[in-house]
Amino acid sequence: MSVTQAVKSFDEEAGTLRPTGERRDAHVWHCSLSLAPGHPDLDDEKWGAIANDFVDAMGFTETSGKAPCRWVAVQHGPSINGGAHIHIAVNLVREDGTKADTFRDYKRASTAAAELEVKHGLEVVEGREVGRSARPELMRELAAVEAGETTETPSARMARTVRACATASESEAEFVRRLRREGLWVRPRFAAGGHDVVAGFSVAERPAHGERAEWRAAGKLGRDLTLPRLRDSWGKDTGALTGADAHAAIDAADEWAAAWRGAPTVRAEAEPVEVTGEDLRRCASELADLNKSLTSISLRDHAAWAEAAHDASGVLAAWSLRTEQTPGELAVASDQLARAAALHRREMPERRTPVRTRSAASTALALVAAGSGGRAGQALVVRQLIVTAKALTIAADRTGQTRQLRRWNDAARRDLETVATRLEQGARVTPGVGRPTEAQRPAPALPNELQRARERAQRGRDGRDHGR
């Protein structure tokens, strides 16, 4: 049997591959599987198990229900980048004379590799774990960072802003308002057939005069930032809505519509309130309650642990937006925990943690605008976030998750230790420089949850006093 494939050449003018009209022999399929640089080499038995699992997953063996292909794996030692690797070559003519299917083999190989990384405890490739593939626009952004034109990519900056606003919001409508108050342009994506149901959204930073806005879909910024997953985090059912939920859905629809038209937000926010040391201590107490609740989560409940990572990342993102002149330890720690929050598939936790971090993130967003609260109180909050990062690391270790995930959580904890030490030593935390000034946009403090938290605390004190 003759197996061939079309020969293509790169058209520089069009920027695409075009068929040349010729064909060439293609009866051998080849790929390489490489460990991350610095990963300890594997023995022959382990490499053999990985190779067998990979060709099974690609459908080249009898596990596909078809005649097997002949194949060979060759261990090739360390690559130029330092990672040990093997080569796999497959004869695409099956033993019964039929041809093996290689349709979408790049996608299938990536999926198989992701499963093998988890199954065999290998380091997970970041692009697969977080959904950050090397898209052309991201490559341009990374090139600008490497050239020193900017300190971080717009995608990273927007992802942190979206995550901070999502964590601080109690409703979808409030989330849209927060995004717009932070200076982002928001564009809803409507479900097919009308403009009534919002299925997703994109964001963009305000472009310079004469330039076009660079829009980024939320799912491209982070797997935990898609609208369905954010709705899960707010505890909203996507089914029929009644009562208060129905009113909340109407409010959200109104805010999305206003964003779509470029009109002002439908509902105005209250004036900023001053953040006090008591507010920060209450936030630290709420985070302590969150950490205590983590001890009751099953180690198998990956969705619940991802939800905790998302919340902690959001608080740090909010703090970074308000306090770091350029992306520093808080931004890095937020990004590290955000990676731990990324799940390949949308999952619901077996049981939700009874404590969430809405008021902590809201307080962080109000912190610098109010210019108060005290470094000691800030240090208390950061110390509790360190406990959260440690709990996530322990959970990842006990469940045999990837070395990369454990490393992300460890890195976040180290960065937070640096911040906490600095605060405890009395170092000043200054507002970010280079962001829109208060004269250029509405005050960024969004105090709704902060005020509600104070009211809840007061009711609790009144109840205790009444019971005496």
Side-chain angles (χ1 to χ4, degrees):
M1 179 178 184
S2 176
V3 180
T4 63
Q5 67 178 16
V7 177
K8 297 180 181 180
S9 63
F10 184 73
D11 186 333
E12 294 186 1
E13 183 175 343
T16 59
L17 290 171
R18 295 186 180 278
T20 64
E22 302 176 357
R23 300 191 68 84
R24 66 182 179 189
D25 289 339
H27 61 276
V28 176
W29 184 88
H30 167 264
C31 79
S32 63
L33 301 178
S34 178
L35 299 176
H39 192 293
D41 198 0
L42 308 176
D43 57 30
D44 290 345
E45 183 179 356
K46 188 69 168 178
W47 272 124
I50 291 173
N52 275 289
D53 288 343
F54 181 77
V55 292
D56 282 345
M58 292 298 295
F60 294 139
T61 66
E62 60 274 6
T63 59
S64 65
K66 301 176 182 179
C69 297
R70 292 179 180 270
W71 62 275
V72 63
V74 180
Q75 189 172 356
H76 207 210
S79 64
I80 296 177
N81 293 328
H85 68 290
I86 61 173
H87 290 267
I88 295 178
V90 181
N91 184 343
L92 292 178
V93 180
R94 297 184 182 274
E95 291 189 352
D96 64 355
T98 59
K99 177 183 177 298
D101 181 20
T102 58
F103 179 65
R104 300 188 69 189
D105 54 346
Y106 284 9
K107 175 68 174 177
R108 289 157 51 196
S110 179
T111 301
E115 293 172 352
L116 292 176
E117 286 164 348
V118 175
K119 178 179 179 179
H120 294 281
L122 306 175
E123 187 168 322
V124 174
V125 173
E126 180 177 346
R128 283 195 288 268
E129 184 76 4
V130 192
R132 295 181 179 176
S133 58
R135 301 182 301 277
E137 66 272 16
L138 183 55
M139 293 298 290
R140 290 195 300 271
E141 293 175 5
L142 292 173
V145 173
E146 292 176 358
E149 298 173 9
T150 182
T151 56
E152 67 175 342
T153 67
S155 293
R157 189 165 50 245
M158 287 190 287
R160 202 173 302 122
T161 303
V162 173
R163 193 169 283 108
C165 293
T167 307
S169 300
E170 289 189 338
S171 69
E172 191 170 326
E174 184 182 348
F175 169 64
V176 179
R177 289 193 293 271
R178 284 186 182 274
L179 289 177
R180 300 183 70 189
R181 288 179 68 92
E182 290 303 313
L184 290 181
W185 287 2
V186 182
R187 182 173 65 186
R189 176 174 60 81
F190 297 101
H195 289 76
D196 299 327
V197 179
V198 178
F201 68 99
S202 301
V203 293
E205 294 182 327
R206 186 184 299 274
H209 181 70
E211 296 184 1
R212 297 180 58 183
E214 294 282 347
W215 292 93
R216 298 288 183 269
K220 296 296 185 182
L221 298 177
R223 291 181 185 272
D224 60 323
L225 299 179
T226 64
L227 189 56
R229 293 196 183 187
L230 292 180
R231 284 169 173 163
D232 289 343
S233 74
W234 295 318
K236 300 303 180 186
D237 189 355
T238 55
L241 298 175
T242 59
D245 283 345
H247 289 296
I250 293 173
D251 290 343
D254 289 342
E255 294 295 352
W256 285 120
W260 175 254
R261 297 192 306 269
T265 57
V266 176
R267 174 181 165 186
E269 297 289 347
E271 289 299 316
V273 295
E274 183 177 356
V275 178
T276 66
E278 182 180 353
D279 292 324
L280 289 169
R281 286 190 292 274
R282 182 170 54 252
C283 287
S285 177
E286 290 181 3
L287 288 168
D289 291 339
L290 169 66
N291 291 329
K292 187 181 298 182
S293 71
L294 293 180
T295 61
S296 63
I297 297 178
S298 167
L299 292 176
R300 298 186 303 273
D301 193 354
H302 300 305
W305 287 104
E307 187 177 74
H310 169 84
D311 285 353
S313 174
V315 175
L316 291 169
W319 219 300
S320 172
L321 289 176
R322 291 291 178 264
T323 62
E324 293 186 319
Q325 179 175 353
T326 57
E329 287 90 353
L330 291 172
V332 173
S334 173
D335 293 347
Q336 302 284 10
L337 290 178
R339 292 180 171 97
L343 293 176
H344 286 285
R345 292 176 296 276
R346 182 184 176 192
E347 300 177 20
M348 293 298 293
E350 295 175 7
R351 61 184 296 270
R352 285 192 175 276
T353 54
V355 182
R356 301 304 296 275
T357 54
R358 303 295 181 209
S359 65
S362 180
T363 299
L365 284 173
L367 180 64
V368 175
S372 62
R375 290 187 290 274
Q378 296 176 42
L380 287 175
V381 175
V382 174
R383 285 293 177 193
Q384 289 301 326
L385 289 168
I386 291 172
V387 175
T388 305
K390 183 177 180 180
L392 291 167
T393 301
I394 293 173
D397 187 61
R398 290 181 177 175
T399 54
Q401 295 185 52
T402 65
R403 290 195 317 139
Q404 181 68 71
L405 182 58
R406 296 194 295 272
R407 193 164 64 188
W408 287 336
N409 293 334
D410 278 336
R413 191 169 78 246
R414 288 194 299 271
D415 288 327
L416 291 175
E417 288 281 3
T418 301
V419 174
T421 300
R422 186 182 303 147
L423 288 169
E424 290 164 350
Q425 292 175 347
R428 181 175 298 276
V429 180
T430 57
V433 175
R435 303 184 187 280
T437 65
E438 298 306 309
Q440 294 171 322
R441 70 177 184 191
L446 304 176
N448 294 352
E449 292 74 18
L450 183 58
Q451 188 62 45
R452 286 194 287 269
R454 289 178 176 175
E455 293 171 356
R456 287 195 299 270
Q458 184 60 49
R459 287 197 299 270
R461 284 194 293 270
D462 293 344
R464 289 193 297 272
D465 292 341
H466 180 73
R468 288 176 182 172

